[in-house]
Amino acid sequence: MSPMSSAIIEPSGTNVEPSIDTLMLTFRFMVHRKLRRKAHGQYRRHSTRRYIFSAIVIALFLTLIGIGAQKLELATTWPELALLVILLVVMIYVVVKVSIVIRWCFYWLVLATLALFIINGGSFFEQLPTPSNPDGKMALGAKIVLVILALVECITLGIVFLMRVSYPRIILRAKWLNCKTWWRIREMPQPSSKSANYKTVIFSYLTWDPDEYRLERRSVSYVGEFDELGRPHGLGEWTDHTFTGEALQGIWEHGVPIGPFKSQEYGTGNAFSNIRIGFCKNSTDKDSSTAFSTARDPKGLSYGAAAVECSVSGKFFHHLPYVRIIGKGVLRSDLEQRAKDDLEAPSVSLTYPLSFLSTYTESLQSRPSIRGSFRGISSRRSAPLSKSIVVRYTDRGIFIPGYIRSRRRQDVNEVMIRRVCPSDTGIEGQRIVAPGTSETDGDPSAPQSQVPTLLIPASSGGGSGASSQSEDSDSGSVKRLSILDPLPTTPSPEDERRSLDKERKKRLNQAGLMVDGWRQVVDVDGRASSAIAASRAGYEALVFVHGYNCPLTYGIARLGQLLSLGEFPPYIKPFIFSWPSSTTMGYFNAKSVGCSDDVAKDFRQFIVDLQEAGFRRVHILVHSMGARIVLSALRKGYFDGVFAEREVIDIEPSMNSTYGSMTGLRSRRTVRYRDSVLSHGPTPHLHGTNSDSLDSDDPSRPIQLATFTLLNPDADLDTFLEEDYWTLSKYCPHVTLYADAHDGALFWSEVLGRKKSLGRHPRTLIYGPTSEVLDVDVVDTTSLDVNIHSIRHNFFNLNRMLVDDLYEVVVLGRRAREREGRLSNRWTFSDDGTENGEVYTFLCAPSYVVNK
């Protein structure tokens, strides 16, 4: 697949008219998706009922084996007895597993046991002669029961294999299958389309109704774009009205949904999300597995992209997250060579993965109604409306990530945000104005926009234009947040229609937010012009560094689940840095290779490429041994000149330190940074830069390390207190540590390494020589017990409390003390009983606490 195939392609003209015949490939693929979900099954709670069921199965199976076994000499020596026991254990395990998945196997087992008891009365094959049965003829009946049981069990397993394995493959791949005949497909009246860009195809087919236990006819429709062969291609929505059918909205490629997309089962409500993630890999391992003797790839970095589908609501399925590599890894050296050989080729290496990530439908996270968006649209290249907008205050006025100010004369200290409503919902809401500006009296008789607006000024009197109005502002400001009464004059329906059409021109007809005088930047592909646009729009990168024994696809799946549940904004582009992480038994090998200079240089090069692509800020999430890898690179000074240094405003020399990048840092105890004392103020100053350079269009300036989050880090506690923190604090103003006192993986790390692990001690971090409390938000996750494995080492992407907390850290930049609705602080004490700091815990009850 080429990089350009991931973007929405402008069709030059449709050669084949979309019809039922052209949608058969898509129909078969969607049926295959439905059957695959059923075959893999859903996660189920490990309840007491399941253990009782397993015990009953074992008892029944042992009963069948034991009937009459007293008369059989099955084992005469110890080796034979040991082999018999092993075979018996394996058979019990297989029977229990199969019976849990296929309940009919359990039912046949119960019937056979009852029949044997009735027929044989306790004997297995033979029955001793009795006055009533001198020849023992009833043994024949027991043999027949056992033969029938084996036959029925085999037939049941064969049917299940056919329906769950063979049939889905036939549906997807068999060219001889006539879909119209098999499903009795019929045409339905096609609605007239009001758009030249989007068309609709509707048909019906026969399907099995699980509720009514009979065949019923259901309808299927597709609304969206098509390629020259009449197959879904581009933006579109598929709706299958069967019970487990899907309503899937997103990006299609030649008849197949490739993502990003949102999907939901029609009857069950189970929801799924598909997002795209870029990756940077420097190991020789395969994408889906690791090797014990892993090593760094001598050819260097390779870039690519993947699409990952995750469950987000309702039942969660075993086969999800599912990772599909849509952009195979290409060596960075090859990308550079292409740029040298072809003058038209992009010179930025990250252009390749970004070409897969830059699609405006990433804003589908808001799940707008795509059917409404296909009516009367004038330009499908227009950006979708956002459901949420982040507004930041900087030294140069208001800044909106993902947007560029399109009007130079606009007041930099205020911004007008409008809520746009679909035409079929009418006028909703009143005007909302935020505090901070003087109240002016507008002309009530003047034409007013009926779209609700939100006026956000930076501060009272802050800037030359603080009292002036935006060019698109419809009314004056007020002193306090208020909801005004409806305007006394109501425009005519014709004026209302013209006003709404003007506001929604070149936009999808959906509800959302629109910023007056600002242009949304939705496509960032790493090229020179795009890098400047990304820099001006404040695009940010989220980099995840996984732990040891983690293949590339597994790391992508974990990050994809986090982003799918958190619904991070589209201006934050996700990436994963995959390093040689070895296998379960290769802990020391992974530590040695990961902390090497070669891996550190590769990670530095990756950050430099992000900087050249126009990213202004980067958020780094490190999990397990990934923390050791990144902290080691920071400690060795590999990021000097790459990350922008914070401005030191207070320092008193009392100690000297010349370790690595710590050279010149004369005092650890008294170093103070500007943003440490202005936590709610403007954007932090950086050493060697000013606010003008930060907001400039030059993508080569140092990149800001906005947040650094440690998730159950496998790093030495003492080394972090003495060295790593002081290096990290030079670059990052917001460091968060999530620690768990019951982390089983870090327990063995401490045993093997004979050092305390940073992620297993949720306490206040204090630098011993000076007793200084480090500026790190320590969050204790020990009390959490939902969606957490017994090892308690890898749950940051599933636990809802932790997912929402990470969203506030990365997107909103809130410190722990500002997240009062989710966190509660508790004091920690030193050995002498004095208070020495605070640690934060989550405000939630344990899962076993219920109402009486």
Side-chain angles (χ1 to χ4, degrees), residues 353-504:
L354 284 175
S355 63
F356 292 94
L357 303 185
S358 63
T359 167
Y360 70 74
T361 51
E362 289 174 78
S363 294
L364 290 174
Q365 60 183 346
S366 57
R367 303 204 81 244
S369 174
I370 200 168
R371 293 186 176 276
S373 68
F374 293 150
R375 301 189 182 101
I377 186 170
S378 59
S379 173
R380 74 177 194 281
R381 295 298 298 171
S382 58
L385 299 176
S386 300
K387 292 298 181 180
S388 61
I389 295 177
V390 177
V391 180
R392 294 199 178 110
Y393 298 90
T394 68
D395 293 342
R396 300 186 63 186
I398 287 178
F399 174 74
I400 303 178
Y403 288 78
I404 295 178
R405 186 181 290 108
S406 59
R407 299 182 180 180
R408 297 182 178 275
R409 298 181 59 184
Q410 186 178 2
D411 185 8
V412 298
N413 290 321
E414 87 177 3
V415 59
M416 180 72 71
I417 301 177
R418 300 177 183 273
R419 176 175 177 265
V420 177
C421 308
S423 58
D424 56 352
T425 60
I427 310 302
E428 296 183 20
Q430 285 79 23
R431 184 182 308 280
I432 301 177
V433 185
T437 57
S438 60
E439 182 176 2
T440 58
D441 296 328
D443 184 7
S445 62
Q448 300 288 339
S449 170
Q450 296 300 299
V451 182
T453 60
L454 177 67
L455 181 62
I456 304 180
S459 60
S460 57
S464 58
S467 60
S468 61
Q469 296 292 326
S470 170
E471 294 183 14
D472 291 343
S473 178
D474 297 326
S475 64
S477 306
V478 295
K479 294 182 179 180
R480 61 187 182 278
L481 183 65
S482 61
I483 299 179
L484 305 182
D485 295 331
L487 298 175
T489 58
T490 302
S492 63
E494 182 67 20
D495 294 339
E496 178 182 330
R497 184 188 62 80
R498 292 177 180 177
S499 176
L500 292 176
D501 290 343
K502 181 179 180 181
E503 294 292 342
R504 298 166 185 144

Side-chain angles (χ1 to χ4, degrees), residues 510-525:
Q510 55 178 316
L513 300 177
M514 182 177 62
V515 187
D516 290 348
W518 292 70
R519 177 173 58 87
Q520 186 177 4
V521 178
V522 292
D523 289 327
V524 178
D525 56 12

